[in-house]
Amino acid sequence: RRPRGPRESGAMGSTAFFGRFLFAFVFLASSVNKLLGLSDPGVGVLDAVSPRLAVARESLSRKIGIDPLFLVSDGWLVNCASLIELFGSLLFVLDFALGAKLLLLFTLCVTPVMHAFWRLDTETESAEQAVEQIMFFKNAALAGALLVYLDMKPRVGGMRGKAKRR
């Protein structure tokens, strides 16, 4: 964890914490809902996810010749993704770069599978396609914000934040 500089003490530190909390809340609430939904078969989390995972598995199988996920079930994938999302959001709120990296990994892996708006029939499902397109680009914006956050974090042992000596 990096030491706080003069700009991050007091109001600036609390503002940054609140901003990280608001950002991470989207992921935190989503992960908790999925984990609770997996424990209650009546909720149907897998019913919503499994068809999209089947399309992704089939597409990967066509491209590389085998299903790279053949050893794991849909429930296991959703559980792992939800745990990555949960721990990533908690670490992000606490200002750890690992949290942003986990959220970025989650977003980049899940977005093309769950929000593949280009696969929908444009004439019959225009409302659903519009919603999926909005969700896709929202997630792309969140991934961009995570990249900006990671770029602004000082690197351990790096020159960032230090003046060059002459």
Side-chain angles (χ1 to χ4, degrees):
R1 186 139 160 96
R2 64 185 165 97
R4 290 182 161 234
R7 285 188 61 216
E8 293 186 39
S9 59
M12 185 62 176
S14 60
T15 302
F17 175 82
F18 187 64
R20 286 191 312 273
F21 175 78
L22 288 176
F23 183 89
F25 187 76
V26 172
F27 296 101
L28 186 63
S30 173
S31 65
V32 169
N33 283 337
K34 279 184 277 213
L35 290 168
L36 291 175
L38 283 173
S39 65
D40 182 5
V43 174
V45 170
L46 285 178
D47 293 340
V49 173
S50 290
R52 293 171 191 231
L53 281 173
V55 170
R57 284 176 188 266
E58 191 266 325
S59 179
L60 282 171
S61 294
R62 264 188 290 124
K63 290 195 182 344
I64 62 174
I66 63 166
D67 178 7
L69 305 172
F70 70 94
L71 291 175
V72 295
S73 69
D74 292 351
W76 190 86
L77 284 173
V78 172
N79 228 346
C80 283
S82 298
L83 290 172
I84 289 170
E85 188 180 20
L86 175 68
F87 289 120
S89 59
L90 292 173
L91 289 171
F92 184 77
V93 169
L94 297 173
D95 200 17
F96 287 97
L98 178 61
K101 291 174 184 177
L102 288 172
L103 291 176
L104 187 60
L105 172 71
F106 170 81
T107 304
L108 293 177
C109 291
V110 168
T111 299
V113 173
M114 294 306 297
H115 304 297
F117 64 90
W118 55 90
R119 293 183 196 258
L120 298 174
D121 183 15
T122 56
E123 292 178 13
T124 59
E125 301 174 16
S126 62
E128 183 182 355
Q129 184 180 30
V131 168
E132 292 301 331
Q133 188 173 13
I134 290 167
M135 297 296 282
F136 181 90
F137 287 113
K138 180 224 17 143
N139 285 4
L142 291 173
L146 289 165
L147 288 172
V148 169
Y149 170 84
L150 288 169
D151 187 56
M152 294 174 63
K153 291 278 294 175
R155 292 182 182 94
V156 176
M159 290 298 294
R160 186 169 292 208
K162 297 180 182 178
K164 290 185 180 180
R165 294 184 184 169
R166 293 184 182 221

